């Protein structure tokens, strides 16, 4: 009851060209905490306010990008049932059960490929390390944070071709609602979809794009607009490659800044937005206001934002 | 799936001694919007970012306080099923179906009395007026807001005797989770319970108290700590009675200020807090840290906060 | 003693192509208050926290730009003495005494042309209307502000050729100090100068530029970074032409946003910066860090910012 | 010209009961930087954005309180001239020239006792260590700040009997202006005076009080209201004794929080306020609004704030 089924984005697995500069970026610039390494050389990280063992997984590879994104569901029973629903939906392929322990301290994961070509996982079990402030008489924030220090991994934006199929899968099978959409042309074709399984404005988002399985960004949550300025300053102090910001999205109202990890994977830190409910009407953006939808202040799209993908 | 069952606090019905000063307070100081009056003299209001027809109901009476608080559920089917569950739980009494239309543009409501003596309602239907920014290419905030201009009615804090029974009802029957609790004494008796049906840190909260059916405050959501300062300034500019703040709660981490409407009903406006999930461990506060739990900066309770109830 | 001589930027006189759209911009978008019109059709405005009768003067003309900028000095005696010093400096020309009353409720003004070609005025008397919160038991801010509602006109940035001469005039004759400078090339030629007569990081600034007497922007003071976001939102809500921002300057540390009035004159609203003292060492920016100096986050100059002048 | 004579509060010398807990407080809680110790056991500290060698001097003593407060003047010539003016004013006593080097890297200081009984110093020379961001292509803030990390020592509030004499000395001899005053009773007797030698709302302030030479607080500057919340959180995280806040002063508009060092000396960190000019009318607070003047939100004085002095 209340919050059931798919609970939240649980992890994003990213490929980086060189592990050490990437780790330096994710721990010192972004400010995540390393929690484990495995025998395949993967590094596991979490944000300070997350309880689960990890939310970001890095591995060295020849090209950057996203391997897969995983969602935590509320129970093993839900995992089995949703796996079955996904298999039977006709909207996914490449079904695979990853055994428990393949991610450290994590139970079995059900992996599948969605119509836009991305690998998505569902899982029900991951050990809780606890957040840095603890669960007994906690302070509001911990000491010794580094970098931007987001509280949580929040969502990903992914690009791919069969947007309609992916949206159908998330809405009809996985129980997400469509918080916002961008439509274009006389036929009002959906070109952007912002989907949520929670009170957040988005837990995953997609843009229609000719190529399958492209990664736009992984986003992390900051507390407020002042933290966005601090993040912007850190980007310059540490000579990180900036994409755009500080600014505001029309979509979701979030205050935001985009930048790149040393391998060219885009990161976002953002704050704000409304409280979503499943009975809230979907917000629709039309292509004549597309600039405002994406960057509310500039009101125009920049090429890098649209075309630099990994 | 995802967000189901009880969705959110839908309305709070408050008694005020004189309607006009109360209305002036709720529209000009707090900054709600009047949406209707009915033939019983009740006035209905909503916050600017709410879609539903109303979230606050005021009626003139001889004593201040809360008549009832209502929660929106996801469907008529859920309403029927939860009504049955509540009736069969042995944890509630005074069951009553309020006919559709008794609140304007609102469906049937199922009302019951909980162990702490408060009247709680469930309902599935209330017309959507839409939020002030609309659902098509919306701006992030509307023009012509007045006063503190919270985005939403957020939660109530209620005082009553049978805290255990009420918590059991909300957790076991209505599907809430216990985000935080305060325990006291060698037996670690629960004296405070902060319950949520969403990703918010609380949707309703209770303090153990000798007398049944007491109202502590109705709370409204602000965007950030700067808005809390603006609210504090408005309280002084408009000679409103201040309770305490600006400050921070240890419980929920929220930044907050408390004040009174002209009838002595306490209001809160607040911002911030973490993102709750049902699998997040309950935070426990012990009585030796009670001051910090309630007012993180002062670290001591003030008498008015504890004992002024309506 | 303490604060003497030239006290502050007192007014900027701007040419606009059409008066009514300009007025709408300066009163509804920027949020200045109209205080007078004169028989030449000029309109006088002030910001809410200013005491003097006006700080912005608008007149209709065939081309946009700045007619002159005036500085208030501490007394009539100082005015006479500084006028004499300016005349004898060999660094200015076109000396002119504007009679009292030519600006409403303003005393005589001494006007001269500086080496970069701009007309600068000194004056000692302008009637005080008082700020909107008054001088007796004042509230911290007034009701009924509109638009961005800056507290004060703060400074101008001007472009012109003989930067060295202008800097010499402001430092050696008018008593300003050089808070920050940008130097370029092997000879470390000064290409930007940020001058102050107060504890502010700048009261007037100049960029070396081939053409004389160009106007880059007039700047107005906001309270904080949250107000900069509000200003950015207003720019989009009211379809104002944005130049760049929200961002931060390396120079002065200010958080800022730039936009254009309907005639193409650039405005800035900003907040923050350090407290300057005359014995504080001048901060030097070198051309290899020029991008960071101007826009600390983007770290690159945009063409519009450099070349769109009026 | 422009900024002359007395430039700024240069140092405050405080007595503490035990040096090590005091140092821990001033470096880890407040976040000042130790710059020197001398052979008398005194410790010298500065804030990160200050250039001068020190702004706070601590020495161990049997009772807490302030030994003296020093102001930097613009030159040795001004120092000699002001010393003479102070001696001849009939408003001061106990004249003393402290030799250069008595404070490390500091020139001669002229010390005198003002009518409220406090020892005040003037000095013209103190070596510049530079601020932590440097003077060449500086970042807006340095890494590795600790605690509240104010940018500067800002002012002191002192209590004493002959308020009129002290105000006359600061205004007529030292060139300060009276930014704000509190008056009481039918005769409108001045009971509080907020004096400035700069664009800041106050550089020193006095409250009329029966006893001579009492110290209320030393105040340090924060960037914004968000930093005030951070300071409040640090006070609780580090179990520092809180006086009051976060709140706002009516006087000066500053957002503020007060707390005590381990010896009972009161500290303030604050942000905001207006830009003062010497021709700005003095703001007057009347005793019927005294609560609002001091604590704009509470609108009542707390006993500790009025009577706990060192």
């Amino acid at each position: 009851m209340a919050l059931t089924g798919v609970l939240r984005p649980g992890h994003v697995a990213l490929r980086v060209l060189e592990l050490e500069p990437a780790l330096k970026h994710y721990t010192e610039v972004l400010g995540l905490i390393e929690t484990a390494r495995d025998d395949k050389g993967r590094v596991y990280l979490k944000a300070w306010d997350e309880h689960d063992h990890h939310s970001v997984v890095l591995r060295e590879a020849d090209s950057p990008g996203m391997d897969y994104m995983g969602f935590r569901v509320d129970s093993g029973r839900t995992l089995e049932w949703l796996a079955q629903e996904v298999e039977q939906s006709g909207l996914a392929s490449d079904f695979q059960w990853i055994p428990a322990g393949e991610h450290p301290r994590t139970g079995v994961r059900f992996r599948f490929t969605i119509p836009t070509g991305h690998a998505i996982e569902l899982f029900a079990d991951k050990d809780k390390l606890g957040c840095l402030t603890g669960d007994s008489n906690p302070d509001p924030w911990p000491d010794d944070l580094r970098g931007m220090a987001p509280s949580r991994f929040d969502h990903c934006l992914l690009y791919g071709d069969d947007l309609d199929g992916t949206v159908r899968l998330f809405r009809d099978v996985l129980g997400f609602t469509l918080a916002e959409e961008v439509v274009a042309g006389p036929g009002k074709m959906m070109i952007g979809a912002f989907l949520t399984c929670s009170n957040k404005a988005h837990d995953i988002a997609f843009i229609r794009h000719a190529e399958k399985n492209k990664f736009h960004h992984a986003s992390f949550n900051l507390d407020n607009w002042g933290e966005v300025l601090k993040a912007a300053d850190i980007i310059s102090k540490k000579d990180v490659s900036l994409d755009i910001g500080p600014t505001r999205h029309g979509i979701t109202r979030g205050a935001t800044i985009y930048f790149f990890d040393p391998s060219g994977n885009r990161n976002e830190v953002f704050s704000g937005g409304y409280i979503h409910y499943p009975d809230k009407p979907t917000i629709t953006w039309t292509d004549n206001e597309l600039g405002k939808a994406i960057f509310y202040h500039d009101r125009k799209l920049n090429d890098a934002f649209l075309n630099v993908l990994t």
Side-chain angles (χ1 to χ4, degrees), chain A residues 21-242:
Chain A
L23 257 180
K24 202 173 156 67
H25 172 86
Y26 283 96
T27 58
E28 296 181 14
V29 174
L30 192 54
L32 303 181
I33 298 144
E34 183 182 326
T35 57
R37 300 200 182 198
D38 70 15
D39 52 14
K40 293 182 188 159
R42 292 180 295 187
V43 183
Y44 298 82
L45 305 114
K46 70 187 278 293
W48 74 264
D49 204 22
E50 292 173 331
H51 286 69
D52 292 355
H53 178 268
H54 60 270
S55 59
V56 171
V57 186
L58 303 179
R59 78 169 173 99
E60 215 169 84
D62 290 339
S63 65
M66 184 184 87
D67 280 336
Y68 49 86
M69 181 179 173
F71 287 87
R72 183 155 191 151
V73 303
D74 66 359
S75 66
R77 206 171 52 119
T78 296
L79 178 59
E80 280 171 43
W81 168 63
L82 282 176
Q84 198 173 20
E85 294 282 312
V86 169
E87 287 201 34
Q88 293 172 357
S89 70
L91 291 164
S93 58
D94 306 326
F95 311 111
Q96 191 182 357
W97 283 95
I98 317 288
E102 200 272 343
H103 271 196
R105 303 180 64 172
T106 305
V108 292
R109 290 133 60 206
F110 177 69
R111 188 184 292 172
F112 51 98
T113 300
I114 60 174
T116 42
H118 304 89
I120 298 291
E121 300 182 347
L122 304 177
F123 67 96
D125 293 303
K126 191 184 286 183
D127 284 359
K128 296 209 179 305
L129 300 187
C131 74
L132 285 199
T133 48
D135 299 318
S136 174
N137 300 318
D139 288 315
W141 43 272
D143 291 333
D144 301 322
L145 294 175
R146 289 188 300 173
M148 300 170 182
S151 58
R152 306 190 67 92
F153 164 52
D154 191 84
H155 68 270
C156 287
L157 175 60
L158 307 175
Y159 278 45
D161 55 351
D162 184 2
L163 180 62
D164 307 299
T166 282
V167 170
R168 204 151 58 237
L169 177 64
F170 275 89
R171 296 181 79 170
D172 298 349
V173 182
L174 297 173
F176 284 57
T177 56
L178 184 65
E180 309 205 17
E181 66 177 335
V182 183
V183 300
K188 295 190 181 300
M189 182 174 68
M190 181 192 290
I191 59 170
F194 298 79
L195 293 147
T196 171
C197 59
S198 68
N199 294 114
K200 291 162 48 193
H202 47 358
D203 286 302
I204 191 165
F206 295 92
I207 299 287
R208 188 185 296 272
H209 180 76
E211 203 178 350
K212 273 192 190 299
N213 191 24
K214 301 307 287 181
F215 172 74
H216 189 273
H217 72 261
S219 183
F220 299 84
N221 195 263
L222 296 180
D223 190 54
N224 59 62
W225 173 238
E227 296 294 304
V228 176
L229 177 60
K230 191 184 112 188
D233 290 343
I234 288 170
I235 286 167
S236 288
K237 282 166 73 93
K238 296 197 183 275
D239 280 321
V240 172
S241 174
L242 174 71

